[in-house]
């Protein structure tokens, strides 16, 4: 059985008969887990095993697990620092920051792999323009070159643990105030003005980036009609054409308000697929999932898309007994030190300028 293009969610900590029916549909290829699906590490390992047992080859299993505010599994997992802390370390000691960032990427991926998760939607490589609350400290830095270097290090750590990285939110969510979960953000910059936002993607793509998640943000100077997630101009012409990306493209959740302005769920699915997205997530709306599965069949998908999706499977055996692993122990200690370091605050007495 091939990997279908739809990513769906489940309601609780155990599979229901309805979940099994939906996940058995050939057009479903992946599952995203949320905090509501997690009780403890043993439970979520049993849940992912049950999901894998439904089909062969098994469904892909994903989670948002960046660290800071966005970490779905907490009890029994290492508390990951917000990316901004790594950016601050980069300002003081570039080499140490890159080493630590790669180690944290490895730890995050290793802990998820140990409970049966294929990949996390990370790293977030949006630039911190100081205006987006939904991005904020999820960004490594305001400087594009710093974000690029830290993003590559994080992805390398994930790869060391056998996990593919997904850079988000293409082409950049950091310069808009609105949150695409609840509104439709509009970024009025020209493509030339967005060169810095592209720089981290260019470097990650050169380092064999496996996946990108496209943002529900409209950039009217580039495509006046559609957000990047639904835009051929952004995905086919710019991402795949100009940037030379050959990996998997995820739309952001198509049930979010940022996508809802562009028609019902069926129309959003058609637009995202036509734009070039490989995976079409529909989260927290089982009625929409049912409607989509009733209306769409095998016309979605291609051999090239299948090849891109296969790259998202976790590779190699997951690490066992991480608590006895020296790298894990050292990284946990490094994270504790990083999180305990107070931010630099400039007072009137210490400020040299005016």
């Amino acid at each position: 059985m091939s990997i279908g293009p739809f990513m769906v969610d489940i309601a609780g900590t155990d599979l229901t008969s309805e979940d099994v029916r939906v996940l058995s549909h050939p057009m479903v290829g992946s599952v995203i887990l949320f905090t509501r699906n997690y009780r403890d590490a043993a439970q979520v390992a049993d849940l992912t095993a049950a999901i894998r047992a439904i089909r062969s080859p098994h469904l892909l299993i994903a989670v948002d697990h960046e660290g800071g505010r966005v970490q779905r599994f907490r009890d029994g997992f290492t508390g990951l620092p917000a990316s901004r802390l790594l950016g601050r370390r980069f300002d003081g000691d570039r080499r140490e920051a890159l080493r630590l960032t790669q180690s944290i990427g490895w730890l995050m991926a290793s802990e998820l792999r140990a409970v049966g998760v294929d990949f996390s939607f990370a790293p977030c490589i949006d630039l911190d323009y100081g205006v987006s609350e939904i991005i904020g400290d999820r960004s490594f830095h305001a400087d594009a070159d710093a974000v690029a270097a830290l993003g590559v290090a994080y992805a390398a750590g994930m790869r060391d643990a056998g996990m593919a990285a997904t850079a988000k939110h293409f082409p950049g969510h950091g310069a808009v105030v609105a949150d695409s979960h609840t509104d439709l953000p509009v970024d009025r910059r020209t493509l030339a003005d967005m060169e810095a936002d592209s720089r981290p993607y260019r470097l990650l793509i050169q380092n064999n980036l496996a996946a990108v998640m496209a943002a529900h943000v409209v950039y009217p100077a580039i495509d006046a009609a559609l957000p990047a997630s639904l835009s051929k101009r952004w995905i086919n012409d710019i991402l795949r054409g100009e940037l030379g990306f050959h990996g998997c493209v995820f739309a952001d959740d198509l049930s979010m308000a940022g996508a809802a302005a562009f028609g019902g769920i069926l129309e959003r699915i058609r637009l995202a697929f036509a734009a070039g997205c490989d995976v079409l997530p529909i989260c927290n709306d089982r009625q929409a999932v049912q409607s989509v599965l009733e209306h769409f069949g095998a016309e979605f998908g291609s051999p090239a898309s299948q090849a891109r999706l296969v790259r998202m499977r976790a590779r190699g055996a997951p690490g066992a007994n991480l608590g006895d692993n020296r790298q894990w122990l050292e990284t946990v200690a490094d994270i504790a030190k990083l999180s305990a370091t107070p931010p630099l605050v400039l007072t009137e007495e210490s400020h040299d300028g005016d």
Side-chain angles (χ1 to χ4, degrees):
M1 182 179 288
S2 62
I3 305 173
F6 297 119
M7 171 176 275
V8 302
D9 61 328
I10 57 175
T13 54
D14 300 286
L15 292 178
T16 65
S17 57
E18 172 66 13
D19 289 330
V20 173
R21 187 185 69 80
V22 169
L23 299 184
S24 299
H25 195 286
M27 294 301 288
V28 173
S30 48
V31 180
I32 183 168
L33 300 180
F34 292 94
T35 300
R36 66 173 182 269
N37 305 124
Y38 181 78
R39 185 170 60 247
D40 55 46
Q43 168 270 322
V44 82
D46 288 342
L47 177 60
T48 60
I51 292 170
R52 287 168 180 264
I54 291 172
R55 291 166 39 175
S56 182
H58 71 77
L59 294 159
L60 297 171
I61 302 173
V63 66
D64 279 308
H65 206 81
E66 304 168 16
R69 291 176 289 135
V70 183
Q71 180 173 337
R72 303 303 185 209
F73 307 157
R74 293 190 180 269
D75 292 342
F77 278 72
T78 302
L80 302 171
S83 295
R84 178 178 289 167
L85 292 179
L86 294 165
R88 287 175 176 163
R89 176 61 63 86
F90 185 89
D91 287 338
D93 188 334
R94 176 188 173 101
R95 173 181 280 185
E96 172 61 14
L98 294 176
R99 181 201 66 79
L100 180 56
T101 300
Q102 184 166 341
S103 293
I104 291 173
W106 171 86
L107 180 143
M108 178 277 291
S110 296
E111 291 190 345
L112 290 178
R113 291 217 49 214
V115 297
V117 173
D118 283 293
F119 62 94
S120 170
F121 287 115
C124 175
I125 59 168
D126 297 309
L127 304 190
D128 182 10
Y129 288 99
V131 298
S132 175
E133 290 187 5
I134 193 61
I135 301 302
D137 63 0
R138 296 167 66 188
S139 171
F140 288 113
H141 210 283
D143 179 75
D145 293 326
V147 172
L150 290 164
V152 167
Y154 198 95
M158 294 174 68
R159 184 168 57 248
D160 290 344
M163 180 177 285
T166 302
K168 62 186 184 184
H169 305 81
F170 178 80
H173 203 308
V176 289
V177 175
D179 174 2
S180 56
H181 291 85
T182 57
D183 296 290
L184 175 61
V186 178
D187 187 332
R188 301 194 180 280
R189 294 177 297 165
T190 66
L191 192 58
D193 292 333
M194 296 181 67
E195 187 278 330
D197 299 74
S198 297
R199 214 174 301 158
Y201 286 98
R202 291 183 187 277
L203 188 59
L204 277 158
I205 289 167
Q206 290 169 12
N207 282 271
N208 203 30
L209 177 66
V212 163
M213 176 179 282
H216 296 322
V217 178
V218 174
Y219 307 84
I222 297 93
D223 185 335
L226 295 168
S229 54
L230 310 180
S231 168
K232 290 182 182 179
R233 171 76 175 120
W234 275 114
I235 295 173
N236 188 60
D237 297 349
I238 297 174
L239 180 59
R240 296 211 184 277
E242 296 177 21
L243 298 181
F245 179 63
H246 300 296
C248 186
V249 177
F250 292 82
D252 207 343
D253 177 9
L254 290 166
S255 64
M256 286 164 53
F262 300 92
I265 189 62
L266 302 182
E267 181 60 20
R268 285 173 248 163
I269 290 291
R270 291 188 186 96
L271 287 169
F273 178 72
C277 292
D278 298 292
V279 182
L280 313 171
I282 311 166
C283 307
N284 305 308
D285 191 341
R286 182 52 65 86
Q287 185 175 353
V289 170
Q290 301 282 19
S291 178
V292 165
L293 296 182
E294 289 172 4
H295 282 81
F296 294 115
E299 70 271 18
F300 280 11
S302 67
S305 185
Q306 283 296 303
R308 293 190 284 264
L309 282 165
V310 166
R311 290 183 64 196
M312 302 309 297
R313 291 199 188 283
R315 301 177 306 283
N321 301 317
L322 286 173
D324 297 327
N325 182 294
R326 180 177 178 180
Q327 183 178 356
W328 183 86
L329 291 168
E330 290 177 349
T331 305
V332 169
D334 285 340
I335 289 172
K337 292 176 185 176
L338 179 72
S339 300
T341 302
L344 177 65
V345 177
L346 295 178
T347 65
E348 289 185 11
E349 290 78 11
S350 64
H351 185 52
D352 294 326
D354 58 11

